[in-house]
Amino acid sequence: MTTTWTIAVDWERTGDFNGTHDDITYYVMDARWFNGFRRPYQDVADEQMLSLSLNNSDKRFSPENVGSPLTDDLAPFRPVRLQSNDGVTIRTHYLGWLEKIEPSVNQFGERTTKLTCSGAASLFMASAETDIAVQQNKRADQIINTLLDEIQVPPPLIGSAIIGLPTSIIGSVNIVDVSMDRSLEVGKTVFAYAADNWIQGNNKDRTFSIYSAIKDIVAAERGRFYFNREGQAIFWNRHHLIVNRTIQATFDNTMVDMKYSYASLDEFSNDITVTSHPRTISPNGDVILWQLDNPITVQPGDEREIGASFHDDSDNRIGGKDIYLSGVSITGNGTLTMKNAGANRAKLLLKNKSSQYSITLNSADVRGYKITDFGRMDATSVDLESINFYGHREMSLNLLAIDNQDDAQGIADFELMRRRTPSGKVQTISLKSQAKLGGNQHSEQLARTIGDRIKIIESQTGHTGEYFIIGEQQRLSQQATLLETTWYLESATE
């Protein structure tokens, strides 16, 4: 079996990676990439990353070199893809976007260029604030689907598939016309409220980023969210790994390296606190959620966007639903409309229709039902026997989407059950093979990925156990002849 590797940048963003200069494999000196999670039970994955070291002796990867054949296309946000072909299967190992181009300097120096590539989490989700309306009686997958629809993703990473919906039209897959590729399992929890109390840090006038919002929902479901090798957004409900009993591969002292510890802080806790956030909703839908403090003047032909963050009489942030404008008074020929009605703020648009005279917005209210978060309510689960034997290990979860103590107690009991007994666990294993000619565990390095269940036997520690691969870190080097793989693992506990 011979494996060929292809690394391509869609410089012209046509979506097919077939441009004249798209295939840069010949120039790649070193490639390192990562997908998935690094810590057991982590709810939202770490960022996808790809780092490429390129031979730049002809200066084609220097963006300001006017003689480069790529001179008009060397820019961020170009799609990047890394694939292998073992003669039977073509596999995509990474699909993301070019973030940064760093040519080395000095004409007598290394003459290399470093390309740094990232995925959607950091490029599109971490900085984008969510403006979705209050989500009532929705499952995790439904809320995540709404959040992902807020993101505009450059090509070619487009399309969608939602797994497990009863109205499936292709087997168990229902195709949905959206901008980001996704596969979302049906959530197990229905949340009474979500999005109303998403506040960023201590700044009362800002909402959550889309990344933080997804993290809140996934943590409350006790599920997982990540981007797979193909750049597809994946949501697993909390049963996904529990029901996966199929061992895909066994490694019996065949690893080149293994990290092992006993009673790791990532996996061992015997005092769990889960914080929930009870809500109340006003009986009437005409409560003032926001009111204009001072008049606003707009010059002829101009417009002004107004941010209306919802507060109560004590200046505490609140949520709102069924939101509408009232009490609008404008001097002059102008209009005030609601551009967006979010869960805890609205965007208003004030337009001056006159080409000669300014207008003044004198008053305006935003009204609706008021949703109040009455603060923290803690549920705890403690194993005193474990504390006496092994010492006190605490863990706290603050789950904004959980609004009742019974659900919080269930989560606390579940986390204690799987964390209270210390044991020896493998954190990572590493493999090496000839990247082109194969041998050793090469076929497993290509095929195994996030979510696969494997078995590990190691004689020095006397350890035998089953694990899920939750993260994959790989390196292709030495003119694409050495493939090094490190898998981050989570114990497949009952």
Side-chain angles (χ1 to χ4, degrees):
M1 178 183 73
T2 300
T3 300
T4 57
W5 296 85
T6 304
I7 302 172
V9 181
D10 187 7
W11 296 114
E12 298 177 7
R13 293 189 290 186
T14 59
D16 56 13
F17 294 94
N18 288 328
T20 304
H21 304 289
D22 286 0
D23 187 347
I24 63 170
T25 310
Y26 172 79
Y27 300 93
V28 175
M29 302 164 59
D30 188 273
R32 306 177 190 220
W33 65 97
F34 175 83
N35 293 308
F37 309 81
R38 285 188 170 89
R39 301 189 309 277
Y41 311 131
Q42 188 177 342
D43 40 38
V44 174
D46 294 296
E47 177 57 286
Q48 290 178 293
M49 295 297 296
L50 169 66
S51 177
L52 300 173
S53 179
L54 308 180
N55 183 332
N56 193 33
S57 57
D58 63 358
K59 299 186 287 186
R60 69 172 49 222
F61 300 112
S62 297
E64 295 185 272
N65 173 26
V66 295
S68 169
L70 300 170
T71 186
D72 296 325
D73 299 312
L74 277 167
F77 291 104
R78 268 47 181 175
V80 181
R81 186 180 69 187
L82 189 154
Q83 290 185 323
S84 68
N85 183 353
D86 63 4
V88 177
T89 304
I90 298 175
R91 296 181 176 90
T92 296
H93 295 267
Y94 181 89
L95 186 60
W97 291 271
L98 179 59
E99 180 184 357
K100 189 164 50 175
I101 305 170
E102 299 175 280
S104 61
V105 298
N106 191 339
Q107 60 180 322
F108 304 111
E110 291 182 331
R111 295 193 291 179
T112 61
T113 291
K114 179 182 177 182
L115 301 186
T116 300
C117 310
S118 299
S122 65
L123 293 179
F124 310 114
M125 294 169 59
S127 59
E129 292 186 356
T130 174
D131 283 318
I132 65 171
V134 169
Q135 304 293 294
Q136 282 189 271
N137 301 317
K138 297 287 183 66
R139 300 185 311 266
D141 59 289
Q142 294 172 311
I143 300 172
I144 293 171
N145 195 55
T146 300
L147 288 165
L148 292 179
D149 280 347
E150 292 192 289
I151 303 171
Q152 297 298 316
V153 180
L157 308 187
I158 56 176
S160 176
I162 300 179
I163 293 176
L165 294 182
T167 56
S168 171
I169 60 173
I170 305 177
S172 62
V173 177
N174 185 26
I175 302 302
V176 183
D177 183 20
V178 294
S179 58
M180 175 175 282
D181 192 14
R182 65 197 76 177
S183 178
L184 313 178
E185 290 184 340
V186 174
K188 299 299 180 182
T189 299
V190 175
F191 300 101
Y193 298 100
D196 60 298
N197 59 356
W198 287 344
I199 310 297
Q200 184 120 344
N202 295 320
N203 188 335
K204 291 187 176 182
D205 291 327
R206 294 191 64 198
T207 60
F208 264 22
S209 68
I210 293 174
Y211 176 87
S212 299
I214 290 177
K215 182 175 176 61
D216 177 53
I217 293 300
V218 175
E221 163 74 22
R222 308 315 297 149
R224 309 291 174 94
F225 180 86
Y226 72 100
F227 288 89
N228 66 10
R229 289 175 168 184
E230 291 79 21
Q232 184 183 49
I234 305 293
F235 166 69
W236 293 339
N237 64 37
R238 61 176 172 269
H239 289 179
H240 180 92
L241 293 180
I242 294 174
V243 299
N244 180 3
R245 303 300 180 114
T246 303
I247 297 175
Q248 299 284 352
T250 297
F251 299 90
D252 187 349
N253 291 286
T254 52
M255 308 77 71
V256 298
D257 192 20
M258 183 178 94
K259 289 187 178 179
Y260 168 93
S261 70
Y262 191 89
S264 167
L265 287 174
D266 285 336
E267 297 195 47
F268 174 45
S269 298
N270 47 32
D271 183 351
I272 313 291
T273 300
V274 176
T275 300
S276 61
H277 292 257
R279 322 284 218 287
T280 62
I281 186 167
S282 64
N284 301 314
D286 60 353
V287 178
I288 294 178
L289 307 174
W290 173 88
Q291 196 166 48
L292 182 68
D293 292 328
N294 299 297
I296 297 175
T297 299
V298 176
Q299 298 305 310
D302 285 347
E303 61 183 42
R304 177 84 60 84
E305 186 178 285
I306 304 169
S309 297
F310 304 158
H311 297 80
D312 62 15
D313 294 337
S314 300
D315 201 35
N316 298 314
R317 282 299 298 271
I318 56 175
K321 59 167 288 191
D322 298 341
I323 299 161
Y324 63 94
L325 276 170
S326 73
V328 177
S329 172
I330 300 175
T331 301
N333 184 16
T335 60
L336 180 68
T337 57
M338 189 171 294
K339 187 176 179 180
N340 181 74
N344 50 39
R345 68 174 184 171
K347 290 181 181 178
L348 312 180
L349 187 62
L350 178 61
K351 285 187 176 182
N352 187 342
K353 292 188 173 184
S354 171
S355 61
Q356 295 180 323
Y357 304 103
S358 63
I359 65 168
T360 299
L361 177 64
N362 302 302
S363 64
D365 302 333
V366 175
R367 295 174 181 259
Y369 287 94
K370 179 177 73 171
I371 303 173
T372 305
D373 179 339
F374 276 101
R376 305 166 61 96
M377 184 173 288
D378 292 341
T380 60
S381 192
V382 181
D383 189 320
L384 295 177
E385 183 176 346
S386 176
I387 291 174
N388 290 333
F389 271 98
Y390 309 114
H392 194 192
R393 298 278 184 91
E394 295 181 281
M395 186 183 83
S396 298
L397 295 171
N398 182 25
L399 304 179
L400 298 176
I402 299 297
D403 74 322
N404 70 82
Q405 197 170 19
D406 287 343
D407 285 349
Q409 189 63 56
I411 291 171
D413 292 343
F414 172 75
E415 291 298 334
L416 181 68
M417 178 182 64
R418 67 177 179 177
R419 296 174 183 268
R420 65 188 174 188
T421 304
S423 60
K425 299 287 175 64
V426 177
Q427 280 83 50
T428 65
I429 63 169
S430 298
L431 310 172
K432 289 183 180 181
S433 67
Q434 220 287 350
K436 294 181 178 179
L437 302 180
N440 298 330
Q441 303 294 325
H442 183 72
S443 61
E444 302 294 355
Q445 289 174 269
L446 297 181
R448 301 281 68 80
T449 188
I450 299 166
D452 286 351
R453 186 168 181 149
I454 64 174
K455 185 174 183 179
I456 295 174
I457 302 170
E458 205 282 322
S459 58
Q460 178 63 27
T461 58
H463 180 81
T464 298
E466 295 179 18
Y467 292 85
F468 293 110
I469 298 173
I470 58 171
E472 52 183 1
Q473 179 175 293
Q474 306 213 54
R475 181 184 183 188
L476 190 63
S477 61
Q478 298 181 16
Q479 287 75 50
T481 61
L482 177 62
L483 178 63
E484 301 170 85
T485 301
T486 295
W487 288 325
Y488 291 78
L489 305 175
E490 176 180 301
S491 177
T493 52
E494 295 297 330

